[in-house]
Amino acid sequence: MEDRGTKVVLDFGAGFADGAEFFGSGIEPRLVNGAGDLFEFGLLPQIQGLYSEKALQNTPLRYSAPEVDAVVLSHFHWDHTGRIGYVDPRIPVYCGETTSLIHEAYSDSTGSPLDDHPVKKFRTGDRFRIGPMEFEPIHVDHSIPGAYGFLVRTGEGTLAYTGDFRFHGPAGSMTEDFVAAAGREPPSLLLTEGTRVSDEEGGRNTSEKEVLREATKMVGGTKSLVFSTFRGNDVDRINTFYQACETAGRRLVVSMKMAILLEKLKRDGGLRVPRVGKEVDVYVRRKRTGRLDDSDYYPWERPFLNSGMSALEVRKKQAGVFLHLEAWNFPELIDIRPERGGTYIHAATEAFNEEGEREDAVIRNWIDHVGFRYAQLHASGHAPGRQVGDLVRRIGPKKVVPIHTEHPMLFRSFGRGMNWKLVIPTKGKPIPIAG
Ligand SMILES: [Zn+2]
Ligand SMILES: [Zn+2]
């Protein structure tokens, strides 16, 4: 966004499918060229005064002092943060208080894209200025805590940006708050995500509550181990499985990365998270020597060793354990050697492309190998098409710009009889807020 000489970037992430024609399948951009290998395919915009010296090393773009005033972050998902590491570290990142705690958890463990940047925190109810622009952040419900939409008041009128949102999570009323505030404005331009606009009309939209109901049945009906793959920063899902375990008298066992996140989020008064060591245990993978020595682990991992559970302990107590296990940690099953007849819950999006189908086939092979039942159970982080359409109608902007979607043209169907203009963004072409 640019207003009277001030420039702000709203989110700066890595597209999940962006660049799949050139990278992936073992082909990666080279570090020696900074952002250059991404510039080559238009995977990053060549903007003067945005990138760090290191990002521009050996690229056609010359380094110059920052001309961009800030990055304003809606939430801590990779497709919104993933390219911030290329941004000049002198440019501050504005984010919600919860997002800054999630950033700290990553920073203390595997690293965060916000490392090296000044982090400026906001919360719902705040308003802050960046140059002549006024930002009003308003919380929304999404599959990670601390997600925001924004009303940005500029010299040309108000821009409303939804960030990523849904209505069917435990905090659905937060998205209602955003819609109400945006509708009172109403904005000249609405920038909205449309991840699921192509979902079939009337198709199923599983809520987190339904995930809890189904998970409780599955956990209660299993005699041996239950394990599940789900996104480690989806706190709603952690709470769902924690509650299902409470009902069934099982113990939720999480990874060290999830444990450090839960420890940080304890400090967030607005969130309820299970307490590490008291309500959930931590799985301790063997590393280096394989002898579970302190020296086998990074300093941030060591505090969890005492309340930790090894593969052997999980095997001993398997009828009382619900283990969070990412697919890349499936080889742990070789050490755990669970009894046949357990349940595996794939609590993530179903495969939607060939690569995902290949990964799913590998997961199923592992599940067959241990003789477990495979169950698919997930609530999306995004609203389905008809609810996105409702949101647009209720906000009533003059102009709608769909982003974060592979089907922007589908927004046309939301506009029947309405008085707004649909603008499909084109790379490199500015869109005025008014007119
Ligand atoms: Zn997201
Ligand atoms: Zn997203």
Side-chain angles (χ1 to χ4, degrees), residues 75 79-80 164 382 404:
H75 64 290
D79 58 320
H80 298 255
D164 286 359
H382 303 275
H404 205 291

Side-chain angles (χ1 to χ4, degrees), residues 281-300:
D281 289 322
V282 183
Y283 184 68
V284 181
R285 281 191 295 136
R286 290 186 303 152
K287 293 172 82 175
R288 296 184 216 191
T289 69
R291 288 195 297 262
L292 307 173
D293 288 338
D294 267 27
S295 59
D296 290 341
Y297 297 88
Y298 293 116
W300 70 268

Side-chain angles (χ1 to χ4, degrees), residues 321-363:
V321 169
F322 183 119
L323 179 66
H324 170 240
L325 200 64
E326 296 289 3
W328 57 84
N329 281 331
F330 276 7
E332 293 301 309
L333 294 167
I334 295 168
D335 299 355
I336 297 170
R337 277 199 275 124
E339 282 163 29
R340 302 180 73 77
T343 300
Y344 168 71
I345 304 175
H346 186 256
T349 314
E350 282 176 86
F352 54 87
N353 59 19
E354 265 179 55
E355 203 188 327
E357 278 164 22
R358 266 199 303 278
E359 193 187 299
D360 192 52
V362 172
I363 290 178

Side-chain angles (χ1 to χ4, degrees), residues 154-408:
T154 76
E156 262 185 61
T158 300
L159 174 144
Y161 170 40
T162 60
D164 286 359
F165 67 93
R166 63 178 175 185
F167 295 92
H168 56 266
S173 66
M174 287 187 175
T175 312
E176 296 290 349
D177 292 343
F178 173 81
V179 175
R184 276 194 297 272
E185 196 80 11
S188 303
L189 187 151
L190 172 66
L191 196 61
T192 176
E193 72 125 318
T195 313
R196 288 176 69 204
V197 285
S198 65
D199 277 20
E200 281 165 55
E201 189 66 33
R204 279 201 48 64
N205 183 41
T206 309
S207 68
E208 195 62 33
K209 224 180 207 157
E210 288 170 274
V211 172
L212 172 60
R213 202 161 52 226
E214 286 306 308
T216 306
K217 271 191 243 163
M218 285 177 195
V219 174
T222 303
K223 299 263 179 303
S224 48
L225 182 71
V226 179
F227 72 101
S228 174
T229 304
F230 59 97
R231 223 189 237 181
N233 53 26
D234 185 346
V235 171
D236 292 333
R237 188 60 44 81
I238 297 171
N239 279 322
T240 293
F241 286 152
Y242 172 68
Q243 283 178 52
C245 285
E246 280 284 277
T247 309
R250 264 186 201 254
R251 196 76 173 164
L252 179 61
V253 181
V254 304
S255 66
M256 287 191 179
K257 260 197 88 168
M258 196 183 278
I260 195 169
L261 178 68
L262 293 175
E263 287 282 299
K264 288 281 177 200
L265 291 178
K266 243 183 3 193
R267 291 200 252 138
D268 192 315
L271 286 177
R272 166 74 182 93
V273 292
R275 286 162 300 168
V276 177
K278 293 198 176 71
E279 295 169 311
V280 297
D281 289 322
V282 183
Y283 184 68
V284 181
R285 281 191 295 136
R286 290 186 303 152
K287 293 172 82 175
R288 296 184 216 191
T289 69
R291 288 195 297 262
L292 307 173
D293 288 338
D294 267 27
S295 59
D296 290 341
Y297 297 88
Y298 293 116
W300 70 268
E301 294 175 309
R302 288 176 199 158
F304 300 118
L305 292 173
N306 289 333
S307 59
M309 257 182 129
S310 66
L312 207 66
E313 287 163 303
V314 171
R315 187 197 303 164
K316 279 189 203 145
K317 298 179 182 164
Q318 55 187 289
V321 169
F322 183 119
L323 179 66
H324 170 240
L325 200 64
E326 296 289 3
W328 57 84
N329 281 331
F330 276 7
E332 293 301 309
L333 294 167
I334 295 168
D335 299 355
I336 297 170
R337 277 199 275 124
E339 282 163 29
R340 302 180 73 77
T343 300
Y344 168 71
I345 304 175
H346 186 256
T349 314
E350 282 176 86
F352 54 87
N353 59 19
E354 265 179 55
E355 203 188 327
E357 278 164 22
R358 266 199 303 278
E359 193 187 299
D360 192 52
V362 172
I363 290 178
R364 283 174 189 273
N365 288 340
W366 277 89
I367 304 314
D368 284 349
H369 182 75
V370 291
F372 271 44
R373 174 166 79 110
Y374 178 109
Q376 168 69 31
L377 187 58
H378 185 54
S380 168
H382 303 275
R386 61 195 146 80
Q387 291 181 355
V388 177
D390 280 348
L391 170 134
V392 173
R393 281 186 290 271
R394 285 165 62 198
I395 292 177
K398 293 200 178 71
K399 208 186 266 185
V400 175
V401 180
I403 55 163
H404 205 291
T405 178
E406 299 197 326
H407 307 280

